[in-house]
Amino acid sequence: ISPWDLLICLSSRKNDGTGCSQIEDLHHLELFQKVNILPEIQHFLCRKEGLCQITEAFSDLQLPVITPECSSRPGLSRASTANNMSQGGESTDKTRTTHLRYWWKPSMSAQLNQVSASPGHKDILKAQDVSVIIKAYVLVTSLTPLRAFIHSTATVWHPPKKKHFSIKLQRFFEIFFKSSSPQQAFNNMKEAISKLLLITEVFSESSASGPNSFNQCRLCFQMLTFDIGFGTSIYPVILEVHENFDFQDEDESNIQNQTFKEFLFEDTFKFLLSNESSTSSFIEALQKIYGSTVSKDGTYHKEDEQCLSLEEINSMITFIKELKNLGQFELLFPSAAPKIQTLLRDLYHMVDPMRRLGSVLTVHWLLSSLLEQFQFMTKEAHTNLSEWRSKKNSRKSSQTMMKWLQPRNSQENASPKQNLPSDFRKNHEGLHYSSKTKDRQCSYDKDTLSHIRQIFTSPQLDLKPQFNPKIKEYYAEVPFDMVTVKIGAEPSNCQCQVHLDEKKGPSIANYPLGLGLNKVIVLVTDNSQPSPQVVNSYKITIYREDRPSLPLFDDYMMCGFVQDCGSRIRPEESCGLQPLSHEYLSAISQTVFKTCEAGDTKGQWIVPCLSCSDNRTCDWREIMWQPHGCRYSVLAKPELQRCVEGRRILFIGDSTNRGMMYYLIERVNKTLQEWQKTHDVKCYHNINEGKTFIGYSYYPQFWMNANQRPTFEKALEQLLQRSRPLENTDQTVLIVGGVQWLNSNHLQIIQKVLNRENLSNILVIIKSIGMGFHLPVDGIHSLSQAEVQNLWNENLVILDTAKNFGYEVVDTFVITMGRYKEFLQGKCGCHFHEVVKSNPSEESPHITMTLSRHYTLGKYFSSQSKPSQLQDYATNSQSPYHVRGPINQVYSEILLSRLCASKTEHVST
C-alpha cells in the first residue's frame, strides 16, 4: 500500500502469539512513516523474561514490579523467537546483565536506592494484597530519548470481580485515595511507569552498539497498557505490561467499554497524525535556551558556534508538536521531577562510565529545557521576562547544561533548583507565590491600565488557559469535596484597583462552590478619576464535580445514613454509612407497603456500596430516601392534574420555596415555559390548561433596610388579596417556608391572618428549615457548628407547632442535613435546586444530575416494582426550562403527596 503515513497492527488475543509486524519491515520505512513497534520495549517490558533481566540488573533500585517467575528458575531463559523482534541468544542477555552488574558499584547503588526507592514499598509488593487494578494506557513516541504520554482515562476493576469500568484517572484517585493523598498516589503511579520506561531506554542503549542491537526506527511508537495494582498504600506495583492497548475480554465488555475503546484509538490517531505547526514555537524556545540565531541557510547555531545535529532538531520539533497537541494525553516523560532527572543522569553515568553516550544525555537536556520553555512561554506574565531573555542568562543556561552532563557526585551538594537559571527560577516562583509578598508590584504604564497582574487562589486552582493579562476568561475544575475557594487578584497598574463581582466588591473573598458551574467576575477600576470607572473585567468559571460514584457491582450491600461525619448535627447519634440489617431490608422490600401519613416521617438515605466502611465504593447515583415503616407515593401525571384542578395554590417564602413551586408547575404541565428569579408577587394563570391558579410572594426581602421591609403579616395579606377569589376549603392551599427565617411566631401570624380573612379551613403546608449558611463565606452571616447543631431543635419546634395548628408539614431539614455538601449555586449553600435551559449550549460543560429513584425503592428489592415515572417530564424536549436537583425532587414529591393526600388515589412505585 503506497503511500501511507501510519501503520497500526494489532494482534488478536486468539492467535498463537505471533506478532503481526516483523522486524525486517522496519528496514523499508520512509522517513515520515510511523509504525506501532518499538522492539526494545516489546523485548524488555512485554515479556516476563525481559522484565526479569531488568529487575535482576537493577535489583538495588527496588523496582515496584511483581516478577514472581524470576526467582523460580536458576537462570534467565529467552522466550520463543516467534515474534522475530530481536536477534541473538541467551548468552547475550546474560552477558548484558553481568556487564551492568559489574559497573554497579556499592556507592552508586546506595545513591540510586536513595533517589529511587519509595517509602513503604515493601508493604505492597505482594500480588495478593492488591485491592484495585488500573489499566493505564501509555503511548511511547520515542525510546531514545524517551518521550512518553499517558491517556487521561483508564479502566479499573476490583479483583476478583471481572467487571471493568472506564474512569478519568484524576477522578479515580480522588475517589479511591480520598482520605489520604490522591495527587501523591497519582504521581507515584506516573513515576513508577516513567522509571521503568527510563530503565528500558538505558538498558537497551547500553548495548545498542553491540551485535545484539535492535534496528532503530525514528518515527516508530509503541502503545502500551500498564496493569497497575494498589493496596492500602499510596505506592503502586506494576503487575504486567502489554504491548498494545489491552481491554477487557470481548465476551465481558459492554457498550460503554466499546465506546471507550473507540475514543481511545481516536485520541491516539489525532495525537499521532497532528499537522500542528511547531517551527515558530521551536525557534522561540531555542532562542530562550541558547540565545540562538537562525542563519540564512535555515540552520540553528549555538553561541559557541557548535551546531545542533539534524537528529537533535527533529527530536525537538517533534516534541514541540506533541506538546501542542496533547488532547486527552498527559506528558509522562520528559519529566521536570528532580528525582527522575537525577535517576536519568545516574543511570547513564553507571552504564556508560566512558561517556560514550553523552550525546543521548545532551538530547535529554535539550528536551527538558524545551519543556520548561514551552510551559514558560504560555504564561508570558513575567514582568522581568525581557531580563531573563538576555545573553547573560543564555550563558548561564549553557553552563547549566555542562553541570547537568556531569556525574552527580561532582555537584551532589547542589539542590535540584540549581539546574535552572537563577533569574528564571526567581520569576517562576514569583508567578505562583508573589501573593505572599506584602509589597505590591505595579506599573504606571498606560498599556497596563486595564490588566490584572495575577490571579491567586487558595486552594490553588489549575486555571485553563494559563494566566495571561490579555486573556479574559478562565476555567477550572475542582473535586466534590472542595466546597469553598478563596479568590483574589492584583491590578497591573498602580492607579487601578480590583473588585470581585461588583464595582465596590472586595479584592479577595471566600466563595462557596456549588455543584456544577460557578462564576466569579473580576472587575478592574480606574481610580485616577474622581468617580472610579470599570475599565475591564475577567471571568473565572469553576466547575465542581458531582459526588464521586463507582458503577454498581453485582455483590453490593445496602448502607444507610442520616448525617455526614463532616457535620454532625446530632453528636450523640452515629454518622456516616451504616450497614442495614437483613430484617430492615426485608421490611422495606415488601410489595405491599402502607403510605406515609405525614411529611415528617423519620427516614434515612440508603445507597448500594461494596463496603459501608468505604464511601468510595458506593454508587451514589442510586441513592434514595427511605422513610421508616412507610413509603411516599409518586403521583402519575393524570392523578396530579386531577388533584390540583380548580385549586388556588399560594406560595410564600424564599428561593427554596420558589424552587418547589417551579417543580410543581413542571410536574403538572409537563413543561416549564417561563422562569424568573421572582423577588416580588407573581401570579400564574396558565397551569394545568388554565384549571389551576398559582401565586407566589417572595419573603423576606432581605436586601431592604430592616425598617422598610414589609412584615410577614403584610406580605401574607398582600398575597391573599392578589389571589382572590379564595374558597375557605382545601381548594385553597397555602405553602409557607424557607431556609432558616421561619419560626413558630410566623405560624401564629398565619393562624391570626387566616382567621381574620375567614380562611381558617384552607390547607396549610409548612416547609420546615433546611441546611445552609454553614460555610465561611464573605458577605453573609455564617453559622458556627454549635448554631448549625441548634437548627435541629428549632426545626422540631416548627414541626410541632405546625401540627398543633392542624397544618401539614414537609421536614426538609432531616433530608438536607446529611447531604449538606451537595448544594448548588448561591452564597448561602442552601439551594438544592436550579432551573436550567433544557438544551444547554454545547460550549458549557454538561452537569450530570439524573432524576432517578432518589427516594423510592426499585430493582434492588422487588422485581415486581414498577419503574419510577419521574423521568417522564424531565426529558420533554418541548420544555424550554427544567428544574434540576435530586434533593429538591425528594422533598418536592413529599410536598405533592401532602397536597393530594385527600384528593386522589395514589400510584405507588
Side-chain angles (χ1 to χ4, degrees):
I1 304 175
S2 181
W4 58 271
D5 297 303
L6 174 68
L7 171 63
I8 293 184
C9 183
L10 303 177
S11 303
S12 169
R13 281 177 174 268
K14 300 178 181 179
N15 69 1
D16 59 358
T18 302
C20 55
S21 295
Q22 302 297 319
I23 193 69
E24 290 80 7
D25 298 336
L26 303 184
H27 294 296
H28 310 293
L29 295 180
E30 301 290 342
L31 288 176
F32 59 86
Q33 291 178 326
K34 303 179 181 181
V35 183
N36 66 321
I37 173 175
L38 285 173
E40 304 95 324
I41 287 182
Q42 293 187 355
H43 177 79
F44 290 117
L45 290 189
C46 304
R47 297 166 49 247
K48 294 177 181 177
E49 291 79 2
L51 274 176
C52 287
Q53 289 178 250
I54 289 180
T55 53
E56 180 178 337
F58 297 93
S59 58
D60 289 324
L61 279 183
Q62 298 173 324
L63 295 173
V65 181
I66 289 184
T67 51
E69 294 83 358
C70 300
S71 57
S72 62
R73 296 192 297 272
L76 297 174
S77 62
R78 288 288 300 271
S80 170
T81 58
N83 286 343
N84 295 318
M85 291 301 170
S86 62
Q87 305 293 328
E90 181 178 349
S91 60
T92 309
D93 283 339
K94 288 185 176 180
T95 301
R96 180 185 299 128
T97 303
T98 305
H99 167 77
L100 287 174
R101 294 188 66 83
Y102 172 78
W103 289 110
W104 195 275
K105 299 178 181 179
S107 59
M108 181 65 73
S109 173
Q111 290 179 2
L112 283 173
N113 186 44
Q114 182 179 3
V115 170
S116 176
S118 300
H121 68 279
K122 293 181 180 179
D123 297 335
I124 58 96
L125 292 182
K126 296 180 181 179
Q128 63 268 26
D129 294 337
V130 170
S131 62
V132 64
I133 296 177
I134 305 168
K135 280 190 176 293
Y137 299 102
V138 173
L139 182 62
V140 180
T141 56
S142 169
L143 182 60
T144 306
L146 178 63
R147 300 198 312 273
F149 306 84
I150 185 170
H151 198 270
S152 61
T153 304
T155 54
V156 178
W157 80 98
H158 292 265
K161 302 177 180 65
K162 294 183 178 180
K163 186 175 181 180
H164 295 52
F165 60 93
S166 58
I167 187 172
K168 289 283 186 183
L169 278 170
Q170 191 71 43
R171 188 182 184 95
F172 166 79
F173 281 97
E174 289 167 357
I175 297 171
F176 197 78
F177 293 98
K178 174 182 176 181
S179 59
S180 52
S181 304
Q183 191 59 49
Q184 186 59 52
F186 192 9
N187 291 341
N188 290 344
M189 185 190 78
K190 291 186 288 187
E191 181 183 306
I193 296 173
S194 299
K195 188 185 301 181
L196 193 55
L197 289 171
L198 189 57
I199 289 175
T200 303
E201 175 197 333
V202 174
F203 202 28
S204 62
E205 195 66 25
S206 65
S207 59
S209 58
N212 193 36
S213 61
F214 292 99
N215 292 275
Q216 298 291 329
C217 169
R218 188 171 64 84
L219 289 182
C220 284
F221 61 94
Q222 187 70 56
M223 299 181 295
L224 296 172
T225 303
F226 282 77
D227 287 355
I228 309 289
F230 275 99
T232 56
S233 166
I234 63 173
Y235 297 100
V237 62
I238 298 175
L239 304 173
E240 188 175 357
V241 183
H242 305 271
E243 68 178 45
N244 279 307
F245 291 159
D246 186 70
F247 305 98
Q248 186 178 11
D249 291 335
E250 292 293 334
D251 55 352
E252 297 176 2
S253 64
N254 53 33
I255 295 177
Q256 180 187 5
N257 294 337
Q258 185 61 37
T259 302
F260 168 65
K261 291 182 190 178
E262 294 173 1
F263 278 123
L264 179 59
F265 280 111
E266 182 180 346
D267 293 339
T268 304
F269 297 156
K270 286 180 180 179
F271 183 82
L272 293 170
L273 294 173
S274 169
N275 290 323
E276 181 81 35
S277 175
S278 57
T279 306
S280 59
S281 300
F282 165 67
I283 294 174
E284 184 178 355
L286 200 64
Q287 286 174 336
K288 290 181 179 181
I289 297 173
Y290 284 114
S292 307
T293 58
V294 183
S295 65
K296 293 182 179 180
D297 61 2
T299 59
Y300 305 93
H301 296 276
K302 304 176 186 176
E303 284 191 328
D304 56 6
E305 299 182 353
Q306 295 179 0
C307 293
L308 291 173
S309 68
L310 181 62
E311 182 180 353
E312 291 172 336
I313 293 173
N314 284 333
S315 293
M316 295 174 77
I317 291 179
T318 303
F319 184 45
I320 283 285
K321 182 182 293 187
E322 291 170 342
L323 290 177
K324 295 177 70 174
N325 189 51
L326 287 173
Q328 293 299 312
F329 284 93
E330 177 184 341
L331 180 66
L332 267 180
F333 198 92
S335 170
K339 182 186 294 187
I340 295 295
Q341 296 223 355
T342 303
L343 176 65
L344 169 65
R345 294 199 304 275
D346 289 348
L347 284 172
Y348 268 104
H349 296 151
M350 184 269 291
V351 301
D352 182 36
M354 304 303 294
R355 305 294 184 263
R356 291 176 301 174
L357 301 176
S359 60
V360 179
L361 274 179
T362 301
V363 181
H364 269 292
W365 178 84
L366 286 171
L367 295 185
S368 296
S369 300
L370 203 60
L371 174 61
E372 291 172 0
Q373 300 314 316
F374 183 83
Q375 294 172 338
F376 183 72
M377 283 157 51
T378 59
K379 296 183 174 68
E380 299 255 338
H382 290 273
T383 56
N384 299 323
L385 184 58
S386 58
E387 177 185 347
W388 185 83
R389 284 177 173 168
S390 66
K391 290 186 178 181
K392 175 182 177 181
N393 290 322
S394 298
R395 287 193 292 271
K396 285 184 179 180
S397 184
S398 298
Q399 294 168 1
T400 302
M401 183 185 75
M402 298 308 297
K403 286 185 178 181
W404 202 87
L405 294 174
Q406 293 176 1
R408 179 155 62 103
N409 55 15
S410 66
Q411 51 164 339
E412 57 187 7
N413 294 324
S415 68
K417 291 186 177 180
Q418 289 175 323
N419 291 334
L420 295 172
S422 59
D423 288 337
F424 173 83
R425 188 168 67 249
K426 177 180 67 178
N427 290 334
H428 188 72
E429 292 172 346
L431 181 71
H432 293 289
Y433 305 114
S434 60
S435 61
K436 296 181 180 179
T437 62
K438 295 182 179 179
D439 297 330
R440 173 180 164 186
Q441 302 177 20
C442 58
S443 168
Y444 286 94
D445 189 338
K446 290 184 178 180
D447 291 338
T448 65
L449 194 65
S450 62
H451 292 162
I452 58 176
R453 190 177 71 84
Q454 70 166 345
I455 297 171
F456 47 90
T457 61
S458 178
Q460 186 170 329
L461 301 182
D462 182 17
L463 295 178
K464 303 291 185 184
Q466 291 175 326
F467 178 73
N468 184 318
K470 296 180 181 180
I471 298 176
K472 302 300 188 294
E473 295 192 10
Y474 297 90
Y475 175 80
E477 295 185 359
V478 299
F480 170 78
D481 284 320
M482 185 185 293
V483 294
T484 61
V485 63
K486 181 165 286 189
I487 297 180
E490 290 182 1
S492 296
N493 195 284
C494 301
Q495 296 179 329
C496 294
Q497 288 188 2
V498 167
H499 302 276
L500 299 178
D501 288 331
E502 56 186 14
K503 192 174 178 179
K504 295 184 179 180
S507 62
I508 181 171
N510 214 36
Y511 282 88
L513 296 176
L515 294 178
L517 295 178
N518 302 264
K519 295 182 180 179
V520 178
I521 303 298
V522 181
L523 301 176
V524 183
T525 60
D526 180 3
N527 286 46
S528 63
Q529 306 297 325
S531 177
Q533 299 295 317
V534 175
V535 293
N536 204 354
S537 66
Y538 295 75
K539 182 169 74 171
I540 305 171
T541 302
I542 305 170
Y543 178 77
R544 179 171 162 239
E545 296 177 343
D546 204 352
R547 183 186 284 274
S549 181
L550 292 183
L552 185 64
F553 293 93
D554 294 336
D555 51 350
Y556 62 87
M557 62 187 302
M558 298 304 298
C559 312
F561 71 97
V562 176
Q563 59 180 344
D564 191 290
C565 294
S567 179
R568 299 188 68 164
I569 308 298
R570 306 280 289 161
E572 67 278 9
E573 297 180 3
S574 63
C575 65
L577 296 173
Q578 304 294 326
L580 301 180
S581 66
H582 292 294
E583 293 77 14
Y584 180 84
L585 291 174
S586 298
I588 65 175
S589 60
Q590 299 174 19
T591 55
V592 179
F593 219 81
K594 75 172 186 177
T595 300
C596 298
E597 298 179 353
D600 63 342
T601 302
K602 301 306 178 187
Q604 63 180 327
W605 292 103
I606 62 175
V607 60
C609 306
L610 293 178
S611 169
C612 295
S613 61
D614 189 348
N615 62 15
R616 301 172 301 177
T617 68
C618 301
D619 191 345
W620 290 99
R621 299 167 301 179
E622 299 295 342
I623 188 173
M624 44 196 156
W625 177 255
Q626 176 60 53
H628 297 325
C630 61
R631 180 176 302 173
Y632 289 113
S633 300
V634 178
L635 282 77
K637 180 187 173 185
E639 282 76 22
L640 181 59
Q641 289 176 331
R642 285 196 295 269
C643 162
V644 298
E645 183 175 337
R647 303 179 88 172
R648 303 180 79 81
I649 305 173
L650 315 182
F651 289 81
I652 182 169
D654 57 26
S655 54
T656 60
N657 189 274
R658 186 177 60 209
M660 297 172 72
M661 177 190 71
Y662 280 126
Y663 183 93
L664 168 61
I665 293 174
E666 187 176 4
R667 279 280 272 120
V668 172
N669 283 357
K670 206 174 180 179
T671 68
L672 187 59
Q673 294 294 326
E674 61 175 305
W675 166 78
Q676 56 183 265
K677 291 184 178 180
T678 306
H679 287 84
D680 203 344
V681 177
K682 177 74 174 177
C683 297
Y684 298 89
H685 300 272
N686 59 343
I687 311 301
N688 197 16
E689 299 178 346
K691 300 173 185 176
T692 303
F693 170 88
I694 290 182
Y696 173 76
S697 176
Y698 190 95
Y699 184 87
Q701 295 177 328
F702 55 85
W703 60 90
M704 301 177 65
N705 292 331
N707 57 355
Q708 296 178 334
R709 294 177 195 165
T711 63
F712 177 70
E713 183 173 349
K714 186 69 175 178
L716 177 57
E717 288 176 344
Q718 184 183 26
L719 175 62
L720 295 175
Q721 294 301 323
R722 290 281 298 271
S723 305
R724 290 190 182 275
L726 300 172
E727 296 181 15
N728 188 21
T729 67
D730 63 0
Q731 286 295 92
T732 301
V733 183
L734 177 64
I735 301 170
V736 185
V739 185
Q740 291 161 17
W741 59 267
L742 185 68
N743 59 47
S744 59
N745 292 331
H746 294 99
L747 304 184
Q748 295 175 1
I749 294 173
I750 293 172
Q751 185 80 347
K752 181 177 68 173
V753 171
L754 294 182
N755 287 334
R756 187 171 65 222
E757 298 292 330
N758 194 28
L759 294 171
S760 57
N761 294 324
I762 71 171
L763 174 61
V764 179
I765 305 176
I766 301 299
K767 171 202 172 299
S768 71
I769 61 180
M771 276 296 287
F773 298 96
H774 52 283
L775 302 173
V777 175
D778 294 300
I780 63 170
H781 172 67
S782 298
L783 302 179
S784 65
Q785 182 61 26
E787 290 174 317
V788 171
Q789 291 175 349
N790 192 50
L791 292 176
W792 175 272
N793 295 324
E794 295 179 16
N795 192 63
L796 289 179
V797 171
I798 292 172
L799 294 173
D800 290 342
T801 304
K803 288 186 286 187
N804 288 336
F805 282 137
Y807 301 157
E808 289 279 0
V809 295
V810 177
D811 185 0
T812 52
F813 186 69
V814 71
I815 292 174
T816 58
M817 73 180 201
R819 300 180 69 180
Y820 70 98
K821 288 184 179 180
E822 298 178 57
F823 61 93
L824 299 170
Q825 286 66 35
K827 284 191 173 183
C828 64
C830 64
H831 295 136
F832 296 93
H833 81 280
E834 62 179 345
V835 180
V836 296
K837 290 185 178 180
S838 294
N839 296 311
S841 165
E842 293 182 1
E843 299 175 358
S844 301
H846 179 64
I847 309 169
T848 302
M849 196 173 290
T850 57
L851 298 177
S852 54
R853 302 165 306 277
H854 288 287
Y855 68 96
T856 56
L857 296 178
K859 60 184 179 182
Y860 306 121
F861 302 101
S862 174
S863 59
Q864 301 176 4
S865 295
K866 300 177 183 178
S868 172
Q869 300 166 347
L870 295 183
Q871 289 282 13
D872 295 346
Y873 75 93
T875 56
N876 189 344
S877 60
Q878 302 300 316
S879 179
Y881 298 101
H882 169 55
V883 183
R884 181 163 55 189
I887 299 173
N888 176 77
Q889 181 193 21
V890 169
Y891 54 68
S892 293
E893 285 295 332
I894 297 176
L895 170 68
L896 299 187
S897 74
R898 307 326 306 149
L899 177 66
C900 302
S902 60
K903 284 287 181 179
T904 184
E905 294 181 3
H906 299 148
V907 179
S908 298
T909 61

